[in-house]
Amino acid sequence: MTMFTPFDHQMMTRAIKLAQKGRFTTAPNPNVGCVITQGDTILGEGFHYRAGEPHAEVHALRMAGERSRGATAYVTLEPCSHYGRTPPCAEGLIKAGVSKVICAMQDPNPQVSGRGIQMLREAGIEVEVGLLEADAKALNPAFIKRMQTGVPFVQLKMASSIDGQTALSNGKSQWITSQQARQNVQHYRAQAGAILSTSQTVIDDNASLTVRWNELPASIKDVYPETELRQPVRVILDRQNKLHSQLALYASPSPVIRVSDENADVTVEVNAHGQLDMRQTLATLAKTHNINHIWVEAGATLAKSLLQEQLVDELVLYLAPKIMGSDGRGLFGALGLTDMQQVMDLEIKECRLVGSDIRIVAIPKPTDLKRKD
Amino acid sequence: MTMFTPFDHQMMTRAIKLAQKGRFTTAPNPNVGCVITQGDTILGEGFHYRAGEPHAEVHALRMAGERSRGATAYVTLEPCSHYGRTPPCAEGLIKAGVSKVICAMQDPNPQVSGRGIQMLREAGIEVEVGLLEADAKALNPAFIKRMQTGVPFVQLKMASSIDGQTALSNGKSQWITSQQARQNVQHYRAQAGAILSTSQTVIDDNASLTVRWNELPASIKDVYPETELRQPVRVILDRQNKLHSQLALYASPSPVIRVSDENADVTVEVNAHGQLDMRQTLATLAKTHNINHIWVEAGATLAKSLLQEQLVDELVLYLAPKIMGSDGRGLFGALGLTDMQQVMDLEIKECRLVGSDIRIVAIPKPTDLKRKD
């Protein structure tokens, strides 16, 4: 059993904090940080900033320069072993002559996991794995999920009054939530690889579904300048072919991926309920568009489908301190349940105030719920 | 302007903590604590435990005995000046020969406020008022409200799924919330002077609406032995005369107060909506039954009426981590709203996990909302 020293913990914590600096920009790549030390001196450090640009290890090695020889490298993720847009980092560490590499976790891709470590060991480098692994995993839940399952990590955003209404019966809903909650949504959008919605929602709200830098919280603006803004792609379910070029959606240069059952950017089957197959949609987005992380903003119908198909990893629910009455539009539509055993169970991960609203983050529990509608 | 010393703060904090020990038992009297000191020595302390038993000052004076002469008394509430079931405490303090009295707040009853202080000052005792006043007020929000307005403090308890449903469309609802949330309800019931419900709810659930000591949280059981249990009275709206002696309600010895428009324990008018007048009901309970604090457990109809009449001081909402679908029974029933301006606004006072559920405490904001139904 490997024993890590307090200094090891300190350096890996530093590497994890560095990795976090890439959280708005690395998609579809993972967030990775690296620190290189000799004795108790930090010689170099770096993090991955943007896909196509150097990996964390490269930045750290460049900074350390000749002093890397005999050094220890702390990396939050197993160094890569393949030639992609950049040469493999394992090779870089070997060439630089480091004598020890400590990784927080192995590569989550089962097809390459362990290869970088093997390459290092074969070059005579001492390698240890597992320091602060849980924290390192928390850097990249979406990347890890896609690598391990071929399906993106799905966050479903909903907003309602405290009594579960998303709009009045006549459809009026602006604004249920506070400005702070809407800013908070921008923060989530900015971390996603794609925003998923439906043509109905896009047309109803004439929504652009972009990250509006001006609306990000000040604490984010400070670390994420407007010139660096990465826009998630917009994925729109449009079976009825309603999207048209006059929509605000098309006023932003970031790509729109139209999903339908024919002649679309992503073409999928229609299921027995006459709806676009969401599991196929998500798997295709993962495979052909490298989407790790999908932020869903849509209405009750899509929310219900995703939940019933057990495709939601996190529900992010904003509850406004308002009572709208049960005759408005409900959060998830009718479910036709007849027994409490059929109810969909969640686990509350977080519950806090955002401005005057409550934000609940909940994880759906696996269920045998069958569609009743 | 009076300057209080750190020692003064310390002693009043102690008196406030003592007062809290009476929170399950003093109703309809307020929670009061008292500490008597000489120099930096505590000579006596006490709190009011139960209506009809000695007030806080009496306990503290008895403990201090002869040493009260020339002492300072810290009291969380202005000493009483009237002969009730016990002689006035102001008189007790005068007879004991204390030289200084520090009160956290004046008596909230506008008809006697200041009289106790006046009595003390006329006897040559130095009196200071206002030390930790906000904390002292927080001891007795319900007592203060009744004294100042003639209407009890109303806490409305509701429980629903995260999407605002209190039951499935067929009425099934057991159990939406967790055992911890239900224990938490017992804790609230135990602090109330009365539990308000309707004959419909009582009959549907065959509810006894008592405090079940066994279900109180362990931390409460430790400080509140079963032998001391005070049961709130049960107030049941029963316009259709449905209550009958076979109900579990009548298996408990604590009083049942039946409210109707004729031949009832509390007889009130019926309003234009054909419902018992709730403002009149509450005022009568305050006046003739000395009820400070009402804990409401009922269905959507009563909840809606109380909210629309602006009679709710606090909404205590338990949200279970479940999705039930919008075709169940909604929290507050139909409100018929057509504009977001008509929505009822709340202020979130607290939001936290209780077991696996979320407990939200919210304060309704004053509104011009008119009934639409």
Side-chain angles (χ1 to χ4, degrees):
Chain A
M1 161 119 196
T2 309
M3 294 292 286
F4 296 110
T5 66
F7 181 75
D8 291 337
H9 275 85
Q10 207 183 323
M11 291 303 105
M12 190 60 87
T13 300
R14 191 173 175 104
I16 287 168
K17 282 196 181 143
L18 284 163
Q20 286 166 345
K21 290 177 189 268
R23 70 193 187 281
F24 298 108
T25 46
T26 60
N29 284 357
N31 297 306
V32 185
C34 178
V35 175
I36 292 175
T37 65
Q38 187 85 258
D40 58 2
T41 308
I42 294 172
L43 303 175
E45 56 185 20
F47 63 96
H48 184 48
Y49 186 66
R50 202 193 305 267
E53 295 183 5
H55 288 188
E57 299 92 322
V58 175
H59 288 297
L61 287 170
R62 282 183 189 163
M63 187 172 158
E66 280 306 309
R67 296 174 300 164
S68 299
R69 201 151 300 277
T72 297
Y74 297 85
V75 201
T76 59
L77 182 67
E78 175 181 352
C80 64
S81 56
H82 62 280
Y83 281 86
R85 285 187 274 190
T86 55
C89 291
E91 194 178 285
L93 290 162
I94 293 165
K95 283 187 178 161
V98 302
S99 61
K100 185 171 178 179
V101 174
I102 299 181
C103 312
M105 63 179 286
Q106 288 203 352
D107 193 303
N109 182 344
Q111 302 199 310
V112 301
S113 187
R115 285 200 199 162
I117 292 165
Q118 192 186 352
M119 196 186 282
L120 294 169
R121 284 192 175 137
E122 283 170 358
I125 295 173
E126 182 188 351
V127 183
E128 287 174 1
V129 183
L131 175 58
L132 297 178
E133 185 168 359
D135 301 287
K137 284 184 173 170
L139 286 169
N140 296 299
F143 175 77
I144 294 170
K145 189 185 174 197
R146 173 166 72 98
M147 287 298 140
Q148 293 182 338
T149 68
V151 177
F153 182 85
V154 175
Q155 276 178 320
L156 171 62
K157 175 253 176 181
M158 303 290 284
S160 77
S161 62
I162 211 169
D163 55 342
Q165 307 296 302
T166 60
L168 297 176
S169 57
N170 59 14
K172 288 188 185 173
S173 68
Q174 284 185 333
W175 296 103
I176 289 180
T177 52
S178 64
Q179 198 194 349
Q180 289 99 319
R182 298 197 301 275
Q183 287 186 343
N184 197 255
V185 166
Q186 291 291 322
H187 180 209
Y188 275 108
R189 281 185 183 176
Q191 293 179 71
I195 299 173
L196 173 64
S197 191
T198 64
S199 51
Q200 189 65 51
T201 297
V202 165
I203 291 165
D204 285 352
D205 304 346
N206 197 18
S208 59
L209 299 178
T210 53
V211 179
R212 290 185 288 276
W213 188 85
N214 280 325
E215 295 179 24
L216 287 171
S219 59
I220 304 301
K221 285 181 186 166
D222 288 348
V223 296
Y224 186 32
E226 189 169 11
T227 51
E228 301 294 301
L229 192 62
R230 176 192 61 80
Q231 288 290 352
V233 301
R234 284 82 50 85
V235 178
I236 314 295
L237 306 181
D238 184 33
R239 203 186 155 200
Q240 264 106 51
N241 205 6
K242 290 183 192 164
L243 290 183
H244 58 82
S245 59
Q246 268 64 56
L247 291 169
L249 189 71
Y250 291 102
S252 158
S254 116
V256 173
I257 299 176
R258 200 181 142 261
V259 184
S260 190
D261 57 345
E262 51 180 7
N263 301 324
D265 302 311
V266 169
T267 304
V268 296
E269 288 163 21
V270 169
N271 66 18
H273 305 282
Q275 296 170 328
L276 294 169
D277 185 310
M278 288 316 298
R279 187 169 290 277
Q280 203 188 346
T281 301
L282 295 177
T284 305
L285 290 168
K287 191 169 181 181
T288 64
H289 292 77
N290 293 325
I291 302 294
N292 300 324
H293 184 164
I294 295 189
W295 173 253
V296 185
E297 295 191 35
T301 309
L302 179 56
K304 182 167 90 166
S305 295
L306 290 169
L307 283 163
Q308 287 180 323
E309 302 283 341
Q310 303 192 32
L311 293 168
V312 176
D313 292 285
E314 274 187 10
L315 170 66
V316 179
L317 175 61
Y318 296 88
L319 289 184
K322 298 182 192 304
I323 293 175
M324 290 170 65
S326 313
D327 49 342
R329 299 192 181 172
L331 268 169
F332 303 102
L335 293 178
L337 306 185
T338 55
D339 193 288
M340 287 298 287
Q341 295 297 322
Q342 301 166 326
V343 158
M344 223 178 278
D345 288 311
L346 310 160
E347 186 193 328
I348 306 295
K349 188 178 160 189
E350 184 199 285
C351 158
R352 55 166 286 214
L353 281 175
V354 173
S356 55
D357 302 308
I358 294 166
R359 185 182 75 198
I360 296 169
V361 179
I363 300 167
K365 289 188 184 172
T367 164
D368 291 327
L369 184 78
K370 294 290 175 286
R371 295 181 75 121
K372 299 281 162 187
D373 56 336
Chain B
M1 163 123 195
T2 308
M3 293 293 284
F4 296 109
T5 67
F7 181 75
D8 290 338
H9 276 85
Q10 207 181 325
M11 291 303 104
M12 190 60 87
T13 300
R14 191 174 176 102
I16 287 169
K17 282 194 181 144
L18 284 164
Q20 285 166 345
K21 291 177 189 268
R23 70 192 186 281
F24 299 107
T25 46
T26 59
N29 284 358
N31 297 307
V32 185
C34 177
V35 175
I36 293 176
T37 64
Q38 186 84 259
D40 57 4
T41 308
I42 295 173
L43 304 174
E45 56 186 19
F47 63 96
H48 184 47
Y49 187 65
R50 203 192 305 267
E53 296 182 7
H55 289 187
E57 298 91 323
V58 175
H59 288 298
L61 287 170
R62 282 182 188 163
M63 187 172 160
E66 281 305 311
R67 297 174 299 165
S68 299
R69 200 151 301 278
T72 297
Y74 297 85
V75 200
T76 59
L77 183 67
E78 174 181 353
C80 66
S81 56
H82 62 280
Y83 282 86
R85 285 186 275 189
T86 55
C89 292
E91 192 179 285
L93 290 161
I94 293 165
K95 283 187 179 163
V98 303
S99 61
K100 184 172 180 179
V101 174
I102 300 180
C103 313
M105 63 179 286
Q106 288 204 352
D107 192 302
N109 182 342
Q111 301 199 311
V112 301
S113 188
R115 285 201 200 163
I117 292 164
Q118 192 186 352
M119 197 187 282
L120 293 169
R121 284 191 176 139
E122 283 170 0
I125 296 174
E126 182 188 351
V127 182
E128 286 175 2
V129 183
L131 174 57
L132 296 179
E133 183 167 1
D135 302 284
K137 284 185 173 171
L139 287 169
N140 297 299
F143 175 78
I144 293 169
K145 188 183 174 200
R146 174 168 69 99
M147 287 299 139
Q148 292 183 338
T149 68
V151 177
F153 181 85
V154 175
Q155 276 178 319
L156 171 61
K157 174 253 177 183
M158 302 291 284
S160 76
S161 62
I162 211 168
D163 56 341
Q165 307 296 302
T166 61
L168 298 176
S169 57
N170 60 14
K172 288 187 184 175
S173 67
Q174 286 187 331
W175 294 102
I176 290 180
T177 51
S178 64
Q179 198 194 346
Q180 289 99 318
R182 298 197 302 275
Q183 287 186 345
N184 197 255
V185 166
Q186 291 291 324
H187 180 207
Y188 275 109
R189 280 186 183 175
Q191 293 179 71
I195 300 173
L196 172 65
S197 191
T198 64
S199 51
Q200 189 64 52
T201 296
V202 164
I203 291 166
D204 286 350
D205 305 346
N206 198 19
S208 58
L209 299 178
T210 53
V211 179
R212 290 184 288 277
W213 188 85
N214 281 324
E215 296 179 24
L216 286 171
S219 60
I220 303 302
K221 286 180 186 168
D222 288 350
V223 297
Y224 186 31
E226 190 170 9
T227 51
E228 301 295 300
L229 193 62
R230 177 193 59 81
Q231 289 290 352
V233 300
R234 283 82 51 85
V235 178
I236 314 296
L237 306 181
D238 183 35
R239 203 188 154 198
Q240 264 107 51
N241 204 7
K242 290 185 194 163
L243 290 183
H244 58 84
S245 59
Q246 268 64 56
L247 291 168
L249 189 72
Y250 290 102
S252 158
S254 115
V256 174
I257 299 176
R258 199 180 142 261
V259 183
S260 190
D261 57 343
E262 50 179 5
N263 302 322
D265 302 313
V266 169
T267 304
V268 296
E269 288 163 21
V270 169
N271 66 20
H273 306 282
Q275 297 170 326
L276 294 169
D277 186 308
M278 288 316 299
R279 187 169 290 277
Q280 203 187 346
T281 301
L282 295 177
T284 305
L285 290 168
K287 191 168 183 182
T288 65
H289 292 78
N290 293 325
I291 302 296
N292 300 324
H293 184 165
I294 295 190
W295 173 252
V296 185
E297 296 191 36
T301 309
L302 178 55
K304 183 168 90 166
S305 294
L306 289 170
L307 282 164
Q308 287 179 324
E309 301 285 342
Q310 303 191 35
L311 293 169
V312 177
D313 293 286
E314 274 187 9
L315 170 66
V316 179
L317 175 61
Y318 295 89
L319 290 183
K322 298 182 193 307
I323 293 175
M324 290 169 66
S326 313
D327 48 342
R329 299 191 181 173
L331 268 168
F332 303 103
L335 293 179
L337 306 185
T338 55
D339 194 287
M340 287 297 288
Q341 295 297 322
Q342 300 166 326
V343 159
M344 223 179 279
D345 288 311
L346 309 160
E347 186 193 328
I348 306 295
K349 187 178 163 190
E350 184 200 283
C351 159
R352 55 166 285 215
L353 282 175
V354 173
S356 55
D357 301 309
I358 294 167
R359 185 182 74 198
I360 297 169
V361 179
I363 299 166
K365 289 188 184 172
T367 164
D368 291 326
L369 184 77
K370 293 290 174 286
R371 298 178 75 122
K372 296 282 161 189
D373 54 336

